[in-house]
Amino acid sequence: MAKMDEEGGHHVNWKDGRVSGAVYHGGEDMQKVIVAAFERYCVSNPLHPDVFPAVRKMEAEIVAMCLKMYNNPNGAGVTTSGGTESIIMAVKTYRDWARVTKGITEPEMIIPISAHAAFDKGAEYMGIKVHTIPVNPETRQVDIKRVRRAINPNTMLLVGSAVNFPDGCQDDIVALGKLASKHKIGLHVDCCLGSFIMPFLEEAGFSVQPFDFRVEGVTSISCDTHKYGFAPKGNSVVMYKDAQLRRFQYYVNPDWTGGVYASPSIAGSRPGALIAGTWAAMQYMGHSGYLESCKSIVTAAKTIAHRIRTEVTELRVLGNPPASVVAFAAAPGSSLNVLEVGDKMSKRGWHLNAVTNPAAVHIAVTRLTVPVVDQLIADLKDAIGEAKLSPSGNGTMMTLYGLGQSSPVGPTMVGHVAEAFLDTLYKA
């Protein structure tokens, strides 16, 4: 198994910093701290707090630290297995809240087209109708007028991102909050990717628009500790304005023959080792550590955006990303295919993300990316030159995303490819 990682012909060495997001590495010293926590709590399970009281306390403290970070120390929250579960749990919470408090039996939610796919996933699981709203092509923020028009008596939830995954931009949370307050509905702010970057921007000296619980109308926030919090993969936090709202997330069955069953999220048994590792990572980094991490990562991201804008005329940066993600598309009037550029970058050892509407490529900067910014720009310039002179048209990005645009049945074909890909993951 080790040889598979070390000798694979198409292996991506994440340690060299050429991977967009995916690996949020806090350093070798952090890794030792996390592994030590794993070893001590490897068999622990927070389903049994009487058996593992320390893990229960660590989980409560993780939630409390995140609530403080997002300026709601008297709020409530729960840890989950990741951002997707945090978002699905929030969707479930508002569905049940709307049923009990507003009598809504056919709930609807309104999300930007740039919102994470987990909202659609949660809506599909929970039987909720979704209204998807376009974003402004320049600012990349959701169209507030269209959101306002979409609100109706069945609306239970509005969604905004700070920041979103496709282009790393932030919606107008203040405007969304005003709408949520006016109509007495929920507003969830997805900070899964913004996680431990957004709360430190202002103190780090960067400009940032309001996004947390200080904004009137914000009723819940999701934050991934396993991204820029450098916690082990498999941990996130969903936070609510108060404990009363959080109760709608719980599942409680007092009549089960096996005894009273109550769980805060989807899982029953959960890995206490991940909670211990998350707690240890947060304690080890501390406020000052996260502040310095924010400074270095955001400085690198802003350097990338600035150099693309000033040195790479064939590309344009999407919106005005405030944090760690930079997305670039072909400049107006350019014949350049940016997905071809993405494929050329792959041949140079980079693992970037392709996004759509418009076609673009993004990089989520991590601590590993910081030392290789100059190399990124140099390789990007070379990749553009090669894409213009000798486009192959058969790279991964071109093939998959080109297929989706090939015909009216293109998206269906891409879906079948994705299903086949998932099948192959389970071939031993």
Side-chain angles (χ1 to χ4, degrees):
M1 292 298 179
K3 287 182 179 179
M4 287 182 67
D5 285 338
E6 296 167 3
E7 301 175 4
H10 300 286
H11 171 62
V12 176
N13 182 11
W14 58 265
K15 293 182 179 179
D16 67 8
R18 298 188 182 205
V19 176
S20 172
V23 180
Y24 299 85
H25 191 48
E28 297 297 328
D29 53 341
M30 171 70 83
Q31 187 167 314
K32 292 178 181 178
V33 169
I34 292 172
V35 170
F38 282 174
E39 184 177 20
R40 179 170 292 189
Y41 293 97
C42 66
V43 300
S44 61
N45 181 356
L47 183 65
H48 305 286
D50 53 334
V51 181
F52 304 105
V55 169
R56 184 216 62 80
K57 181 172 174 59
M58 283 188 279
E59 182 173 23
E61 290 188 359
I62 290 166
V63 172
M65 287 186 281
C66 289
L67 284 165
K68 182 179 180 181
M69 198 166 66
Y70 280 86
N71 290 292
N72 187 23
N74 296 318
V78 168
T79 70
T80 70
S81 64
T84 293
E85 188 184 0
S86 287
I87 288 169
I88 291 173
M89 287 289 86
V91 171
K92 185 265 186 193
T93 296
Y94 287 106
R95 182 198 65 178
D96 293 358
W97 167 81
R99 180 189 300 146
V100 171
T101 65
K102 300 171 77 71
I104 295 176
T105 56
E106 297 182 0
E108 302 180 12
M109 54 192 271
I110 301 170
I111 68 173
I113 196 171
S114 56
H116 197 279
F119 288 101
D120 294 290
K121 187 177 185 178
E124 183 171 317
Y125 284 178
M126 303 296 166
I128 295 164
K129 182 177 180 180
V130 178
H131 297 272
T132 304
I133 307 299
V135 298
N136 181 292
E138 297 301 321
T139 67
R140 308 300 299 169
Q141 293 181 319
V142 68
D143 187 328
I144 297 298
K145 291 182 179 179
R146 296 279 292 271
V147 173
R148 183 184 298 115
R149 289 201 293 268
I151 296 173
N152 65 67
N154 282 332
T155 304
M156 61 168 197
L157 178 65
L158 306 181
V159 170
S161 303
V163 293
N164 71 50
F165 176 85
D167 51 54
C169 292
Q170 174 185 339
D171 290 310
D172 188 342
I173 304 302
V174 172
L176 289 171
K178 289 179 179 178
L179 286 177
S181 294
K182 178 181 178 181
H183 294 277
K184 295 181 174 56
I185 54 180
L187 169 58
H188 182 86
V189 181
D190 177 17
C191 288
C192 288
L193 185 52
S195 63
F196 285 63
I197 296 289
M198 292 297 291
F200 293 93
L201 282 177
E202 186 175 1
E203 187 177 355
F206 301 106
S207 61
V208 59
Q209 297 301 309
F211 65 92
D212 60 18
F213 282 107
R214 291 173 293 183
V215 176
E216 182 183 2
V218 172
T219 50
S220 60
I221 296 175
S222 50
C223 163
D224 280 3
T225 48
H226 70 193
K227 287 193 170 73
Y228 294 102
F230 309 120
K233 276 295 180 184
N235 193 272
S236 175
V237 174
V238 56
M239 297 167 277
Y240 298 100
K241 66 175 183 178
D242 55 42
Q244 183 177 358
L245 183 57
R246 179 179 61 181
R247 286 189 176 181
F248 290 101
Q249 178 176 309
Y250 297 162
Y251 174 78
V252 178
N253 186 339
D255 302 319
W256 181 43
T257 56
V260 176
Y261 182 93
S263 64
S265 55
I266 291 176
S269 292
R270 293 179 291 140
L274 288 179
I275 292 171
T278 299
W279 184 88
M282 293 174 70
Q283 296 289 341
Y284 185 74
M285 284 295 289
H287 182 93
S288 60
Y290 287 124
L291 179 61
E292 289 305 311
S293 175
C294 172
K295 287 179 180 178
S296 64
I297 289 170
V298 177
T299 296
K302 290 188 177 295
T303 299
I304 292 169
H306 174 73
R307 293 191 63 181
I308 290 175
R309 289 186 178 112
T310 57
E311 299 178 27
V312 189
T313 57
E314 296 92 342
L315 299 176
R316 64 185 177 97
V317 174
L318 297 184
N320 185 28
S324 58
V325 179
V326 179
F328 50 88
S334 172
S335 61
L336 179 71
N337 190 316
V338 73
L339 298 180
E340 182 79 53
V341 175
D343 285 328
K344 301 297 186 186
M345 288 293 282
S346 296
K347 291 185 177 181
R348 287 166 171 78
W350 292 91
H351 188 275
L352 306 179
N353 293 96
V355 295
T356 59
N357 295 322
V361 175
H362 93 210
I363 180 166
V365 176
T366 68
R367 290 175 69 170
L368 297 169
T369 318
V370 173
V372 294
V373 168
D374 290 341
Q375 189 64 54
L376 170 68
I377 298 300
D379 285 346
L380 189 57
K381 292 176 180 178
D382 290 343
I384 290 170
E386 187 179 345
K388 292 167 70 174
L389 288 174
S390 56
S392 68
N394 59 6
T396 301
M397 290 188 186
M398 285 289 292
T399 301
L400 183 62
Y401 292 95
L403 179 63
Q405 303 294 323
S406 62
S407 69
V409 297
T412 301
M413 295 169 67
V414 172
H416 291 322
V417 172
E419 289 171 352
F421 171 76
L422 292 176
D423 286 342
T424 63
L425 297 180
Y426 293 95
K427 291 183 179 179

